[in-house]
Amino acid sequence: MLVHGAFHGGWCWNQVAEIIRSKGNRVFTPTFTGVGERAHLLSPAIDLNTLISDVAGVIEAEELNEIVLVGHSFGGYVISGVADQMADRIGSIVYLDAPMGSNGASVFDEAPSDVRKARMDAAVTVNGTRAIAPPSSKTFGLSDPAQIAWVDRRMTPMPLKVYNTPLVLRRPPGGDLPKSFIRCTTPALPNIEASARYARTNGWKYSELATGHDAMVSMPEEVAEKLLAA
């Protein structure tokens, strides 16, 4: 189960999913309500819990068990919430350059002030809903012109309310599940470092990729290899 980050959709996993499927695995790439191909569902009611329910709903509807649950970037908060609610359905959990969140704190509560300001400066109103306009994918570490164009034309505004919703966890992120963290280092986003450090100091399986934040776009083969080993 591959969970995307802010402004993206299930589409961002296309190459990684194709590789993993070619090895005989089932792969699901759900898109959050209000973004991607579901952008027409954008509404003021969408919060972080909506996104958690989106992913949990796929697990329930598809009757999935022993899944490898992967979250990229903002998706780290989502998979932490999903794992807390249905740990018995998950085999392992992987954070791909993703913050894992903490109980009672929202994304904006934990975001560095410069990141929070950049997001709020990009706030727009879309059909009556406050949202955050996507930045250039260059900010996610992409440098190849074709990849930048591909991501930029697909990104959609992110509902603002999801950034202000406190994450509710009954146990530390990932609980007792086998946990992995993949850090993207070229360049390394400073706002991910606290989560990477937490993973290292708490005995998680930890590895790095010498690429930018959107590694599933810039290094799909390498990302797929790490996920297959999770």
Side-chain angles (χ1 to χ4, degrees):
M1 176 78 68
L2 308 178
V3 180
H4 64 85
F7 314 111
H8 292 54
W11 55 263
C12 71
W13 294 105
N14 285 356
Q15 296 179 79
V16 172
E18 183 177 346
I19 295 167
I20 296 177
R21 289 187 182 112
S22 74
K23 306 296 183 182
N25 301 282
R26 298 175 72 197
V27 181
F28 296 84
T29 59
T31 292
F32 301 147
T33 302
V35 298
E37 75 276 13
R38 307 182 74 204
H40 62 289
L41 299 175
L42 182 67
S43 82
I46 298 170
D47 64 9
L48 180 60
N49 296 313
T50 309
L51 313 189
I52 292 170
S53 295
D54 286 335
V55 177
V58 175
I59 295 172
E60 288 287 359
E62 297 291 344
E63 300 183 339
L64 304 178
N65 288 285
E66 290 298 312
I67 65 172
V68 177
L69 182 61
V70 182
H72 172 251
S73 194
F74 181 99
Y77 283 86
V78 176
I79 66 170
S80 288
V82 172
D84 196 71
Q85 294 178 11
M86 49 198 329
D88 60 321
R89 309 288 287 274
I90 299 166
S92 62
I93 189 166
V94 182
Y95 293 81
L96 174 59
D97 220 35
M100 65 265 312
S102 54
N103 181 51
S106 70
V107 176
F108 272 171
D109 287 339
E110 298 188 331
S113 58
D114 61 325
V115 173
R116 189 165 56 248
K117 182 179 185 303
R119 294 289 182 263
M120 288 307 302
D121 286 348
V124 294
T125 299
V126 181
N127 297 326
T129 298
R130 293 296 286 169
I132 298 175
S136 165
S137 59
K138 292 179 183 178
T139 64
F140 301 134
L142 294 179
S143 58
D144 179 88
Q147 293 175 349
I148 292 169
W150 186 74
V151 173
D152 282 353
R153 69 175 177 264
R154 284 166 170 77
M155 287 195 294
T156 52
M158 193 75 172
L160 177 57
K161 194 174 181 181
V162 303
Y163 288 89
N164 289 317
T165 311
L167 178 63
V168 177
L169 298 177
R170 296 167 297 176
R171 55 184 68 85
D176 296 326
L177 295 168
K179 296 175 283 290
S180 302
F181 195 97
I182 303 170
R183 181 70 161 120
C184 300
T185 62
T186 312
L189 294 187
N191 59 306
I192 305 296
E193 181 52 35
S195 291
R197 184 169 55 252
Y198 179 92
R200 291 192 299 266
T201 58
N202 283 277
W204 294 24
K205 182 178 179 181
Y206 177 87
S207 61
E208 297 181 346
L209 285 173
T211 191
H213 186 58
D214 266 11
M216 64 284 179
V217 176
S218 58
M219 276 192 172
E221 294 88 359
E222 291 83 353
V223 169
E225 181 181 2
K226 288 185 178 295
L227 298 185
L228 285 166

